[in-house]
Amino acid sequence: MSSSQIWADYPFPLISTPALNGDVPSLQHLDQFARSATKMALTHNVIIRGMNSIYLQCEHITPSMAASFLLYCQCWSEFIQNHHACEEVAFFPIIEKATGVEGLSEGNLEQHDAFLGGLQEFDKYVYNVHPSQFSGKKVLEILDSFAATLQSHLTDEVVWIMALSRFPNLNLAAIDNYHRQYVRSQQSQSRIIPFLLTNHDVLYEAGIHAGWPFMQAAPAGTDEEPGLTSKLKDFWLRYVCTLVHRNAWKYSCCTFAGKPRPLEGTKMLRTRSHTNRNRESALELGVESDDNLQKPERVLTR
């Protein structure tokens, strides 16, 4: 890995899943609480990688790149709002009803509200600014107003799910299944799903989550491959649904296959750094450096 390459694993830290914390190589061997918390952590890491990718790339976006980058920003916000809306309809209230504890999820809702104003300002900018007037500094300024609050919430909610184990009779697996079906009915296959798949690192935590979220897992205790239906669906979502807004996904932190890659929007930064190094080397040699020199008509080689 080149030191000049920039990846989406900072400035906001990713969340370790209970699957890794328990040193378990598969979701199949987790109890329902750890499994639910693990899936939530993976979803939240998609949000964090997206936030990091915007944070690190926004100041290096040129006018010709701005339209596709703004679309990428819109999809990040849409992903967050869809995720939280689905929680508030088909997850939190179901858990409260099942446990009989009214207000059990109130802290999560309050945290949603805490960063909502900043996210709305972000939307106002990325949906309305003309690409020719795009300002990475403005995006950074807005992000700085709520990003830390958002990151803290994403971590806290995973801990909250693990703490539900104090309700041993709670059928969280059934609630998870209901929530998952509801989420899928609300997701855009041209915006939300491509954003998810190109910001989920299939190599994260030694690759134990590579099949998440759409590939059907093999039965516990077996080495079976996912079925043909799952493979076809995975191919459709990764390589066909991503075609609609293909230019936006070049700013994602993973390939269509989910493999991590350096951030596209920081190539300008690396180019400028290379130019600066050339200028510094020229000064050390006592010669002038002219970045506007024309290319020779041909290059002579031996």
Side-chain angles (χ1 to χ4, degrees), residues 219-250:
T222 73
D223 294 321
E224 293 182 20
E225 291 291 325
L228 177 60
T229 301
S230 291
K231 289 183 177 180
L232 290 174
K233 182 176 183 180
D234 190 66
F235 181 87
W236 169 264
L237 295 172
R238 290 186 183 279
Y239 300 103
V240 178
C241 292
T242 50
L243 291 174
V244 180
H245 299 302
R246 190 179 185 90
N247 285 338
W249 316 130
K250 64 186 177 184

Side-chain angles (χ1 to χ4, degrees), residues 26-41:
S26 170
L27 293 176
Q28 294 294 334
H29 305 286
L30 301 177
D31 66 30
Q32 62 171 343
F33 302 102
R35 187 177 301 177
S36 179
T38 291
K39 289 184 286 188
M40 188 64 74

Side-chain angles (χ1 to χ4, degrees), residues 4-190:
S4 65
Q5 294 177 327
I6 298 177
W7 306 76
D9 53 1
Y10 74 97
F12 301 99
L14 298 173
I15 304 168
S16 296
T17 73
L20 182 69
N21 291 341
D23 197 27
V24 179
S26 170
L27 293 176
Q28 294 294 334
H29 305 286
L30 301 177
D31 66 30
Q32 62 171 343
F33 302 102
R35 187 177 301 177
S36 179
T38 291
K39 289 184 286 188
M40 188 64 74
L42 295 175
T43 302
H44 288 183
N45 279 343
V46 169
I47 295 173
I48 294 170
R49 289 190 190 97
M51 181 161 62
N52 284 341
S53 65
I54 294 171
Y55 203 94
L56 293 169
Q57 293 178 102
C58 64
E59 290 192 287
H60 311 293
I61 299 301
T62 65
S64 64
M65 303 160 67
S68 55
F69 185 71
L70 284 167
L71 176 57
Y72 179 73
C73 291
Q74 292 168 13
C75 291
W76 175 69
S77 177
E78 187 175 329
F79 184 91
I80 296 172
Q81 295 186 64
N82 176 265
H83 171 65
H84 287 150
C86 290
E87 285 182 328
E88 292 177 10
V89 171
F91 192 60
F92 297 150
I94 311 301
I95 290 174
E96 287 194 2
K97 182 176 180 181
T99 60
V101 181
E102 185 177 351
L104 180 63
S105 58
E106 189 64 30
N108 296 322
L109 300 177
E110 290 175 355
Q111 288 186 342
H112 285 187
D113 290 340
F115 60 79
L116 182 59
L119 191 59
Q120 290 174 338
E121 283 300 309
F122 182 84
D123 280 352
K124 183 178 178 180
Y125 185 77
V126 300
Y127 277 96
N128 293 292
V129 68
H130 191 276
S132 65
Q133 301 297 316
F134 175 80
S135 168
K137 289 184 178 180
K138 180 64 175 178
V139 171
L140 203 58
E141 176 187 323
I142 298 173
L143 274 179
D144 278 336
S145 72
F146 71 93
T149 302
L150 172 59
Q151 197 276 336
S152 294
H153 159 70
L154 297 174
T155 303
D156 290 347
E157 197 167 271
V158 175
V159 176
W160 180 83
I161 293 174
M162 286 295 292
L164 293 175
S165 61
R166 68 185 186 275
F167 301 104
N169 296 324
L170 175 65
N171 190 348
L172 186 58
I175 296 173
D176 264 348
N177 185 60
Y178 175 78
H179 177 236
R180 181 174 63 254
Q181 296 302 322
Y182 183 81
V183 168
R184 290 182 179 180
S185 72
Q186 303 298 310
Q187 289 178 328
S188 162
Q189 289 197 355
S190 64

